Amino acid sequence: MELLKILSETNGVSGDEGYIAEIISDIAKKYCSEVFLDNMDNLYCLKKGTSESKKTIMLCAHTDEVGIIISSITDEGFLKFRTVGGIDESILLAKRVLIGKNKVLGVTGIKPVHLCSEDDMKKKPSAEEMYIDIGVDTKEEALKLVSVGDYGTFDTDFEQLGALLKGKAFDDRLGCYIMLKLMEKDFYHDIWYCFNVQEEIGLRGASVSSRRIKADYGVVLECTTCLDMPQVKESEISTRVRKGPALTIVDGYGYTDKDLREILASCGKHQYKNVPRGGNDAGALKLNNIKVAAVSIPARYIHSPLSVVSGEDVKNCILMLENFLDKEDL
Amino acid sequence: MLDILCQLPCPCGSEDTVKKYIGTKVKGETDALGNLIVNKSDDIMFFCNIDEDAFTVMSIDGNKAYVCHKGNQSVPLGSLISFGGYTGVLQAENPEKPTENLYVEMLKEGFETVGASGTVCAEYTTEDEIIFTKDAADKIALSAMLECAITEDKGCFVFGVQSKIGNKGAVAASRALKPDFVVAFEKTTAKTLTYKMATKGFIISEQAKEKIESICQNNGIEIKPEADTKIESTANAFECPNVVVVGIPVRFSNQIRQAADTKYVEIVKNLIKAFLEEGK
């Protein structure tokens, strides 16, 4: 899991995926015949199949993660910020963040509970009210360390959590990890491994890459919502950790391809995502004439400073994909 | 043909029944999303939606099939929902929130298909020339387009899928076929046939406006412009310079079933033939 640790701890908020793409590209060059970036920083890696009568399959994961962007700096040297991607702002409070290329450490703050009015206490804290403290006293001092437009990520270590794994940006560095592990092997079909950018702000990278690559099938490798907690109704759980990778039937961007979904289901342990919300790059691929399915690792606390997943689900996902990519009768 | 089409179930995302029927009448190809395309010449693309509101099974617990509703029509609790050989009654875990935590209580045991999509069992009826059916305008457009796809020797006819979740069929078809002139059909609440001048995110091109007006004038087809930038339409789904969206009048537009006059089948057929005759 050393590779997953590197991928998880690397920073790459939507729009700033250059560095993570570089790490992935260096690995991909060992296995793929063609590796290139487009102007958005989508990374395309082609690995030819072992057969002549093969299909072309596009596997996708996205390199970007949710985070923050610095919007202004106060005279007192505090940083104001906006979120990038879908984040519940109330969970941002009192977190360690790393700002900009130099990873300047900051902490998110708001007024203390003692100084809150009754009305303050009733509402959820918003990013608007928060600031980032980087330990300086003036705007001039702050400007020596950071700039408006710098991205910020959560400072979260990757580590084992009992039988599970904890880390940041599993959505979707886990998808990237699975693709890099698959890349090490030879398969029957031609495979385009596409590492897309800007998924979290509207599937922007995949909208471009899926127009460029002409594929018979697309499989999007993702992380998804998981609410397998006590006192949650069965119909709201979405997915459960350790029950296998989750196949999407329908989400906010529409239906996945039924036939492809059934083929994948026949390839290994799986569960179905039972909440039809959210969405992922499959929504972009399907509009560009690619039959598409989405396979996701259940991740507790997704789109927050940390997520929790099961390594067992990751292994089962790799197994499912290995079986699928070697299927001669697609 | 209209009678048959009005009685075939066609839930969004699982439109095979209607596509199979179309396939018995005319040869077409299915794209990756599921649109059925009969392409005799690519000068003008004619487009209609074939899908209905869908209830898709997300999980099953005993004889309760938890479903999500994809569509924009109000479907009351207690409605009968059909999944092929299985039928059940639409319920909500909390009846005070009738759109959340929906489930279908199946009438018999043995239903196990997570991912299946069903539709509302809403009886199709006719009274003189008026049909009363689900998605009445779409059925009229489908019937007219299918007849033209059978009889005419040119035109590109697209029978679109997955409209109930954001006009996915229209986007995918226009990206794949790259037409430069589209004539699409949808419903209108107006009392006559309309063409959409402006809807949310869409303004008609000068060329398209002149074309629809001249064609209707030359062929004695009564049509009126319609403009409401707060209303969503199929129009902005087409990535194409010239789009004409024709509105077919219906009553009870947001109910499960709508009423429409069957005379519009002939009118829409004449409109399509006139477009094919005159070209773009």
Side-chain angles (χ1 to χ4, degrees), chain B residues 11-256:
Chain B
C12 178
S14 301
E15 298 91 350
D16 291 348
T17 314
V18 167
K19 285 194 289 186
K20 268 184 197 155
Y21 177 75
I22 296 171
T24 64
K25 303 288 179 191
V26 64
K27 194 170 178 290
E29 288 183 2
T30 304
D31 69 11
L33 188 76
N35 291 315
L36 182 63
I37 300 162
V38 180
N39 196 355
K40 297 186 172 183
S41 65
D42 55 7
D43 52 349
I44 299 178
M45 179 173 122
F46 298 96
F47 184 94
C48 69
N49 289 308
I50 63 172
D51 59 317
E52 303 170 357
D53 277 28
F55 291 86
T56 301
V57 178
M58 305 304 293
S59 60
I60 296 173
D61 184 12
N63 72 340
K64 287 181 179 179
Y66 286 91
V67 293
C68 68
H69 176 200
K70 293 292 178 190
N72 43 24
Q73 281 148 5
S74 56
V75 179
L77 298 181
S79 298
L80 207 58
I81 310 290
S82 169
F83 301 90
Y86 288 85
T87 306
V89 178
L90 186 66
Q91 305 281 291
E93 293 234 314
N94 179 359
E96 286 175 13
K97 292 182 179 172
T99 58
E100 293 174 20
N101 294 312
L102 289 173
Y103 65 92
V104 175
E105 193 163 329
M106 307 308 291
L107 297 181
K108 61 181 181 185
E109 289 179 359
F111 181 70
E112 291 176 341
T113 318
V114 171
S117 284
T119 51
V120 184
C121 301
E123 196 189 349
Y124 159 67
T125 55
T126 59
E127 197 169 293
D128 297 330
E129 299 306 310
I130 305 298
I131 55 167
F132 188 49
T133 188
K134 290 184 280 183
D135 298 290
D138 289 346
K139 302 288 195 252
I140 282 177
L142 165 57
S143 181
M145 267 181 51
L146 180 52
E147 284 193 48
C148 290
I150 296 165
T151 58
E152 301 303 304
D153 57 5
K154 51 186 176 177
C156 175
F157 300 87
V158 179
F159 301 93
V161 298
Q162 298 195 31
S163 72
K164 304 293 184 184
I165 42 171
N167 292 315
K168 304 298 184 200
V171 178
S174 69
R175 281 191 190 176
L177 297 166
K178 298 183 176 61
D180 64 9
F181 206 110
V182 171
V183 180
F185 300 95
E186 63 180 29
K187 69 184 175 189
T188 179
T189 52
K191 292 201 165 74
T192 60
L193 205 67
T194 63
Y195 68 93
K196 312 284 173 109
M197 286 279 291
T199 54
K200 194 172 181 179
F202 168 76
I203 305 282
I204 195 170
S205 71
E206 200 56 37
Q207 186 188 336
K209 180 172 174 286
E210 279 172 15
K211 194 59 160 175
I212 181 72
E213 283 181 350
S214 73
I215 278 184
C216 288
Q217 197 173 9
N218 297 343
N219 291 277
I221 298 169
E222 189 192 355
I223 197 162
K224 286 185 178 166
E226 189 180 5
D228 187 341
T229 53
K230 286 187 177 166
I231 289 180
E232 303 267 0
S233 89
T234 322
N236 62 350
F238 295 103
E239 296 176 358
C240 165
N242 299 299
V243 179
V244 173
V245 174
V246 175
I248 298 169
V250 295
R251 290 165 62 204
F252 319 113
S253 69
N254 290 321
Q255 303 299 312
I256 299 168

Side-chain angles (χ1 to χ4, degrees), chain A residues 96-119:
Chain A
R96 288 165 61 96
V97 290
L98 299 172
I99 313 294
K101 297 224 179 309
N102 294 326
K103 297 186 179 179
V104 174
L105 178 65
V107 291
T108 53
I110 201 169
K111 66 178 156 180
V113 64
H114 318 69
L115 304 181
C116 287
S117 66
E118 264 184 46
D119 282 347

Side-chain angles (χ1 to χ4, degrees), chain A residues 248-259:
Chain A
T248 300
I249 297 164
V250 58
D251 63 19
Y253 288 92
Y255 291 86
T256 57
D257 186 81
K258 190 180 164 196
D259 295 337

Side-chain angles (χ1 to χ4, degrees), chain A residues 124-136:
Chain A
K124 276 179 147 187
S126 69
E128 186 87 24
E129 301 165 275
M130 293 179 208
Y131 48 81
I132 296 169
D133 188 343
I134 55 169
V136 298

Side-chain angles (χ1 to χ4, degrees), chain A residues 7 9-20 63-66 151 153 168-169 173:
Chain A
L7 295 174
E9 292 181 356
T10 300
N11 298 341
V13 177
S14 310
D16 186 33
E17 301 92 342
Y19 186 51
I20 183 76
T63 48
D64 61 316
E65 63 184 295
V66 297
Y151 289 95
T153 53
K168 85 163 172 65
R173 302 292 162 66

Side-chain angles (χ1 to χ4, degrees), chain A residues 151-195:
Chain A
Y151 289 95
T153 53
F154 304 108
D155 183 22
T156 307
D157 291 336
F158 174 88
E159 58 193 329
Q160 197 79 31
L161 182 75
L164 303 175
L165 304 169
K166 177 218 102 181
K168 85 163 172 65
F170 282 160
D171 175 13
D172 184 30
R173 302 292 162 66
L174 261 175
C176 298
Y177 172 80
I178 291 166
M179 295 220 306
L180 288 171
K181 296 310 278 182
L182 290 169
M183 214 180 258
E184 294 173 5
K185 295 187 178 165
D186 292 323
F187 295 106
Y188 187 83
H189 301 285
D190 283 354
I191 304 167
W192 276 102
Y193 293 91
C194 291
F195 298 87

